[in-house]
Amino acid sequence: MTELARRTGAVNLGQGVPELPSPPGLLEEVAGAVRAGSNQYPPAAGFPALREAVAGHQRRRYGLEYRPQDEVLVTTGATEALASALLALCDPGDEVIAFDPVYDAYPAGARFAGARLVPVPLAEDGDGFVLDADALRAAVTPRTRVLLLNTPHNPTGKVFTEAELAVVAGLCVEHGLTVVTDEVYEHLVYDEGVHRPLAALPGMRERTLVISSAGKTFNVTGWKVGWVCGPAPLVAAVAAAKQFLTYASGTPYQEALARALGGVEAWAAELRGTLRRNRDLLSEGLSRAGLRPLRAEAGYFLQADVRAWGYTDGVRFCRELPLRAGVVAIPTSAFQLYPDAPSHFVRFSFCKREESVLAAVEKLLKAA
Ligand SMILES: *Cc1c(COP(=O)(O)O)cnc(C)c1O
């Protein structure tokens, strides 16, 4: 789709690559660290100052205590943390449960480990999605090894509620499941929503690996600095896999982020304001163009229902949209593994400059 956008000169609301600025001080810090010679391998577990900053962040925001020495591991983005966690936890034949639509790295990560991803569909509920507790319960088998929870969720923009988290936690405790959470959008929850890590619920800290990353929070997706927090034995297992994937990376970025993470709240509040405005502009524009938008409580993306434009298939809609309207979107089916999943949703990203969002809206209205 990105290639199609380039070829047709369409406004690209496909990929979730931010067009938004990063904190200027953070960029200066990286430049300074490079010039000062921070260009060799960092410690395998990550810079101690960054591990301390991550531990401080988890304590301050969520009341979760992690020892920086052995319960925090810095990774090459959330992606490597996810892959390492699945390699560490799963044996061939194991099953990994995740909510569908699923981020594409999850089934790939499960396959690396010889395991299989079992998709559990989220249920449609008006203009959004809710947990289907029965579907979740039905997906657990004796082979289930890991439950992977992404909240805030990509691509739906759903934030799991306290009640939903309690259902998930109860099931994980009951069946002795190990949990991996992907919380890369933790700072991008809009309106009155709150992000709560599953690890903060009773009985969960000891069985949960919490993954996050700097990419989405600071608009630095190309830096690939992520981290994982959890009980020492689980983190050690992740570290053992990670050691032979990248060993370690991003020395100057790690140094700079160690300082930035302490002040993340002020930065994130400003970024949320920008993204929420974009979301509202795009959502209103999609509505006016007849493409019913779903609610996006968090993150970078809005789903829209394409049926009013005469399509039943989001793939065909996305192939034709660049020519018909000069806009690029991605079919939600790219993230759906569940066989009966609806095919009429597409995903638009709004992590773009306001001009890009407005240009896309104008083009959609013209083509409607
Ligand atoms: C972007 C994204 C990631 C990847 O994070 P990196 O730190 O860039 O590796 C992981 N999970 C979800 C849900 C994402 O949207």
Side-chain angles (χ1 to χ4, degrees):
M1 288 303 169
T2 294
E3 169 56 21
L4 194 58
R6 205 190 49 72
R7 246 190 305 129
T8 57
V11 182
N12 190 356
L13 302 190
Q15 242 187 334
V17 179
E19 288 179 357
L20 301 170
S22 306
L26 178 60
L27 306 184
E28 287 304 320
E29 294 252 12
V30 171
V34 169
R35 274 190 236 105
S38 284
N39 301 303
Q40 310 310 327
Y41 300 123
F47 261 109
L50 179 55
R51 281 184 272 147
E52 268 164 39
V54 169
H57 175 274
Q58 298 305 87
R59 180 185 318 117
R60 178 171 88 239
R61 296 195 55 78
Y62 309 122
L64 281 165
E65 296 283 344
Y66 295 104
R67 273 194 312 271
Q69 309 87 283
D70 58 356
E71 295 189 313
V72 180
L73 173 72
V74 178
T75 57
T76 304
T79 306
E80 191 198 33
L82 284 159
S84 304
L86 292 170
L87 284 168
L89 298 171
C90 297
D91 288 321
D94 283 349
E95 293 173 356
V96 176
I97 287 179
F99 293 103
D100 191 281
V102 292
Y103 184 65
D104 53 4
Y106 306 164
R111 254 180 274 132
F112 283 155
R116 187 171 74 85
L117 193 128
V118 176
V120 173
L122 290 168
E124 280 182 67
D125 152 48
D127 65 347
F129 293 92
V130 291
L131 171 73
D132 179 343
D134 294 332
L136 174 59
R137 210 163 283 118
V140 180
T141 77
R143 312 224 63 162
T144 308
R145 183 73 185 83
V146 170
L147 182 137
L148 210 173
L149 177 73
N150 173 214
T151 185
H153 184 260
N154 174 7
T156 63
K158 171 183 173 54
V159 178
F160 280 71
T161 64
E162 187 73 25
E164 289 174 326
L165 292 175
V167 170
V168 175
L171 200 89
C172 293
V173 170
E174 181 187 334
H175 292 278
L177 304 182
T178 302
V179 176
V180 177
T181 64
D182 177 345
E183 309 186 7
V184 300
Y185 296 103
E186 61 185 315
H187 287 285
L188 306 182
V189 178
Y190 310 122
D191 311 316
E192 271 67 61
V194 273
H195 169 68
R196 182 123 130 97
L198 187 59
L201 273 73
M204 293 307 288
R205 186 198 178 279
E206 63 259 40
R207 64 179 68 251
T208 303
L209 287 164
V210 182
I211 292 173
S212 193
S213 149
K216 310 294 161 65
T217 299
F218 293 106
N219 292 323
V220 293
T221 57
W223 289 8
K224 284 284 176 178
V225 178
W227 45 84
V228 49
C229 301
L234 288 181
V235 170
V238 177
K242 184 237 168 359
Q243 168 143 19
F244 297 108
L245 292 174
T246 60
Y247 177 65
S249 64
T251 304
Y253 305 116
Q254 287 197 28
E255 266 199 38
L257 285 164
R259 283 187 281 274
L261 210 52
V264 65
E265 281 82 4
W267 163 256
E270 188 183 321
L271 178 60
R272 275 196 301 276
T274 306
L275 286 167
R276 189 169 53 83
R277 220 166 23 253
N278 280 352
R279 177 201 64 180
D280 292 346
L281 288 171
L282 181 60
S283 180
E284 284 158 26
L286 288 167
S287 269
R288 275 162 53 216
L291 295 166
R292 181 177 68 94
L294 302 188
R295 77 177 177 262
E297 298 161 342
Y300 277 0
F301 308 108
L302 263 177
Q303 315 292 299
D305 178 344
V306 300
R307 285 174 297 184
W309 277 28
Y311 293 89
T312 50
D313 175 17
V315 175
R316 196 162 70 80
F317 174 90
C318 288
R319 285 227 177 86
E320 295 179 7
L321 192 66
L323 301 166
R324 178 169 170 178
V327 176
V328 164
I330 287 182
T332 301
S333 61
F335 304 94
Q336 290 164 325
L337 298 178
Y338 194 71
D340 296 326
S343 61
H344 54 266
F345 291 122
V346 301
R347 189 192 85 171
F348 292 91
S349 61
F350 54 81
C351 52
K352 307 293 175 184
R353 287 186 304 269
E354 190 173 304
E355 305 90 87
S356 306
V357 175
L358 290 172
V361 165
E362 195 179 315
K363 285 166 183 287
L364 288 169
L365 286 171
K366 243 185 234 148

